[in-house]
Structure formats: structure tokens, C-alpha cells
Amino acid sequence: MATNPQTMTVDLGGRTGTADVLIKAEAHAAFRQRVALELKSADGKHQAVTFNGTGENVPMKDGGGADKLYITGWQLPIKIVATYSFSSNGGRSYQNVPDGNVIPKTLVDSPQVQVVQVTTEDFHDNDDNDTYLHVIAH
């Protein structure tokens, strides 16, 4: 379990140099889900994006309709701060997912590939899968 906001570090096993990172999110919930991301590289690059979505197995999209963020050639380590929230009123207002309802899993962690999956629970049905966030770095 993790706190919300959650901080992740992409470091490819402590490797130096640069990395490419793909980030996608999916909703698996009746309530609208949102994840706001801020990324910062070791050399000062910065990017922010917010993904929203509702429904079962539905790609969450940013304000421009993109369902993923792909950054290339960023200096390691890369810090990602993710804030997870949900709306029970169709997006008119949001509340943060409670601390402890953010569940990160590192699936692969090597100098070549790092894969992290984070799930959340908006505490409606306790299935721990309302948002899926996928971070894949190489």
C-alpha cells in the first residue's frame, strides 16, 4: 500500500543515462477516475498530464484525447508523482483516493526494463482495481 499522492522513481536498477517511458491508465469503475501525473527528470525536464475515465476496462484519456504519455530520452532518475482521485457525481467534484487504497506493484526492475503497475480502490466495492496505472521504462 502507498500514500496518495504517490512518488515513484524510474531508475532502471540504478543505471545512468537516459530512458524512454510509456504511461497508460485504465478505468475499471462506475465512478469517474482521475490520475494527475507530474514527471521530472534529473536534468530538469518537466511534464504534467491528467488522465480521466469511467467504465470497465476503458482507457483513461487526457484533455486532448490521448490515452498514453510517451517520453523519450529523459535523464535518469525520473521522478513521477501521481495523485489518484475519483468522482461520484460525474466529474463535478473529486475526492482523493484514501492513503492505503493505492497499491503499487513492481513487475520488472532491471537495468534494461522497469515495469510498475498501480491499482486503486475508491472504496465503493473493495475490488482494488478502479484505476490501473502502467509505467513502462526502458
Side-chain angles (χ1 to χ4, degrees):
M1 305 273 179
T3 60
N4 187 22
Q6 174 201 16
T7 301
M8 296 173 265
T9 301
V10 173
D11 65 2
L12 292 170
R15 188 179 92 189
T16 59
T18 62
D20 300 339
V21 181
L22 172 67
I23 300 175
K24 296 184 72 159
E26 299 164 1
H28 294 264
F31 289 162
R32 179 165 291 281
Q33 305 294 307
R34 178 172 71 183
V35 58
L37 302 164
E38 288 197 38
L39 294 84
K40 294 180 183 175
S41 69
D43 62 351
K45 289 182 183 175
H46 178 267
Q47 184 151 354
V49 64
T50 300
F51 292 109
N52 285 281
T54 187
E56 285 297 325
N57 202 25
V58 175
M60 294 168 67
K61 297 184 178 182
D62 69 11
D67 66 354
K68 62 184 159 287
L69 173 65
Y70 188 61
I71 58 171
T72 60
W74 277 37
Q75 188 68 41
L76 293 167
I78 301 166
K79 179 179 163 183
I80 303 172
V81 177
T83 303
Y84 304 91
S85 56
F86 67 96
S87 173
S88 60
N89 59 18
R92 291 186 300 278
S93 63
Y94 284 84
Q95 58 188 21
N96 279 352
V97 169
D99 286 348
N101 287 12
V102 175
I103 305 144
K105 293 180 185 171
T106 300
L107 304 177
V108 179
D109 191 8
S110 76
Q112 292 78 34
V113 178
Q114 187 173 352
V115 180
V116 176
Q117 175 182 279
V118 182
T119 59
T120 69
E121 174 53 49
D122 60 20
F123 65 10
H124 178 65
D125 59 3
N126 297 315
D127 57 5
D128 296 335
N129 72 348
D130 296 321
T131 295
Y132 271 80
L133 179 70
H134 308 279
V135 179
I136 304 161
H138 62 92

